[in-house]
Amino acid sequence: MNTLNDTAVQFKQVSYSDGELQIIKNVTGTFPKGKITTLVGPSGAGKTTLFRLCNGLISPDSGEILINGKNINSYEPTELRRMAGLALQSATMLSGSVYKNLSMPLTLQGEEFSEAAAKDLLKDVGLDTDFLHRNVKDLSGGQRQKVSIARTLVNKPKILLLDEITSSLDRVSQEEIETLIKKINNNYQVTIIWITHNLQQALSIGEYTWVMMNGELVESGESSLLSHPQNDKVKHFVKGDTE
Amino acid sequence: MSYLTLSLALIFVLIPIFLSKTLKLGLEKDTIIATVRSIIQLLAVGYVLTFVFDAENFIYITLMVILMIAAATQNAQKKGAAIKGITWKLIGTFVFVEVLTQAILLGFQITPPTAQYIIPISGMVVGNSMVLSILFLNRFTSEIETRQNETELILSLGGTPKQAIHLSLMASIKASMIPTIESQKTIGLVQLPGMMSGQIIAGADPVQAVQFQLLILFLLLTTAAVTSIMLGFLSYPTLFNKQMQMLKLDTETNNS
């Protein structure tokens, strides 16, 4: 797909099991630097596990994962997690205000996050600045997702891992988030890897796509592959025969 | 009190058995086992204490305390079976609490260094520490499960295991200490403590009984705080590996 210098994340024969169950099976592939790559596949394909491996929340049983050319084991776990930021569908919030949530990444490092910087970030993700002192309990699903993404951005990640962040949102919120992610990709030069169930979204927003099934990477390349897949399993999946 | 008079106290055992049978609670067997065990255990302890008090030998006192700690560990470790190495963490906590409290009591000559004082006070300290440990472990294992998303969120944002588990740890320490603090707020108003009641019934001066009871109450505050905090800080590192990844709790072995 691309040369090593253009690669943000590289998987080399990576396998991972949870007890007896093998979730990731000998995955080899790359995610290009500074681009948006979508990760599609039926439920249970191992997509979220792949993200947890990138973020260092779990380690592979075998194989190697390289981020910016370096094995992830050579990074300090905290450094790796700040570099490969994760935002989940659940958009878990810490109880309290939006400001408390946005401050959290820097609080963890013993630093302060100024209100002015927090307000700038809110504007960047398309939220009014008066949201800053609002309780997270009072936010809608789309607003929570924006706060969750903004919170991940506080760490200035080089890679942003987005796990089904729009799947529970209405069409308007989905479009807002899509626009936001494109803006983040352009403004912050962040590599985006986005898990989505929505193939139309994968085609429209992602330049590249990985298709995973049953723990394996079955096809990868430019997103147009979803319109003309080569692999029979992918053809069935795109047609909607696989879930 | 004669054994004949004491046997009349079994009426208080027959009442719950009768109620359990009538309401089909199924607690008759457990009630009988608990009654038989308490009779055997307390009578045995009575004879052992008579021997130890008469002997006034430091080795026997130490053996009694070791026995208490072993029994407390055996009881509490079932609740923390999901936490790796919980047995040694409990032993360490109980020994530390016992040594700390006795060092203060004996060092400042608050109580005399005799079996008559050391053993009953140790029993109260270790017993209270055991109950606190059970409360803490119960709450901590459930907090870890219910707050798993928050814990992983903090790890994923670059937090350390200590930062990630902070909320669960503090909530568990607080929850386990609340009963001790709350019961002290109403003591004397709602309930007369068992030790003080026993002394008064045995004919001791009520004011002196109160003085000893206050000593024990203050002692139990330290016991509560030290037990929960020490056990918490000994337990949380075993939930993570060197890569700062959260390990799965072995809940199948947890009887809580």
Side-chain angles (χ1 to χ4, degrees), chain A residues 18 52 55-59 77-78 81-82 86 92-94 104-105 107-108 151-152 155, chain B residues 148-150 152-160 163-164 167 241-246 248:
Chain A
D18 185 4
R52 289 164 59 80
N55 186 256
L57 286 174
I58 50 174
S59 296
T78 50
R81 287 166 192 166
R82 287 198 282 268
L86 184 61
T92 305
M93 293 282 130
L94 300 167
M104 184 50 66
T107 307
L108 293 171
R151 185 178 57 193
T152 309
N155 276 331
Chain B
Q148 196 178 353
N149 284 347
E150 273 179 49
E152 284 215 336
L153 168 72
I154 293 171
L155 286 177
S156 76
L157 289 171
T160 61
Q163 290 169 325
L167 288 175
N241 63 16
K242 280 184 185 168
Q243 287 81 42
M244 298 188 184
Q245 294 162 346
M246 198 171 182
K248 276 190 177 173

Side-chain angles (χ1 to χ4, degrees), chain A residues 166-201:
Chain A
T166 58
S167 60
S168 58
L169 304 181
D170 58 57
R171 189 61 227 156
V172 176
S173 301
Q174 268 188 35
E175 281 169 5
E176 281 177 10
I177 299 272
E178 284 173 11
T179 310
L180 168 65
I181 295 305
K182 280 180 186 167
K183 198 172 95 180
I184 290 168
N185 177 241
N186 284 328
N187 294 359
Y188 294 82
Q189 281 81 48
V190 179
T191 302
I192 311 272
I193 309 174
W194 188 340
I195 294 176
T196 178
H197 260 110
N198 184 338
L199 295 182
Q200 204 51 48
Q201 188 178 51

Side-chain angles (χ1 to χ4, degrees), chain B residues 28-72:
Chain B
E28 303 93 291
K29 194 179 162 195
D30 278 343
T31 311
I32 293 167
I33 290 172
T35 307
V36 173
R37 276 188 64 163
S38 61
I39 292 170
I40 295 170
Q41 284 163 201
L42 284 177
L43 283 177
V45 163
Y47 287 115
V48 170
L49 285 180
T50 308
F51 171 75
V52 174
F53 289 176
D54 289 346
E56 277 295 347
N57 186 322
F58 185 72
I59 292 171
Y60 292 143
I61 299 174
T62 310
L63 281 174
M64 279 295 290
V65 174
I66 289 172
L67 192 70
M68 286 172 190
I69 290 175

Side-chain angles (χ1 to χ4, degrees), chain B residues 68-81:
Chain B
M68 286 172 190
I69 290 175
T73 306
Q74 163 73 17
N75 198 18
Q77 61 98 21
K78 292 175 205 159
K79 297 290 176 191

Side-chain angles (χ1 to χ4, degrees), chain A residues 10 18-19 26 43 72 90 113 116 120 131 154 173 202:
Chain A
Q10 186 176 14
D18 185 4
N26 205 28
S43 300
I72 56 168
S90 57
F113 193 48
D120 285 345
F131 272 88
V154 173
S173 301

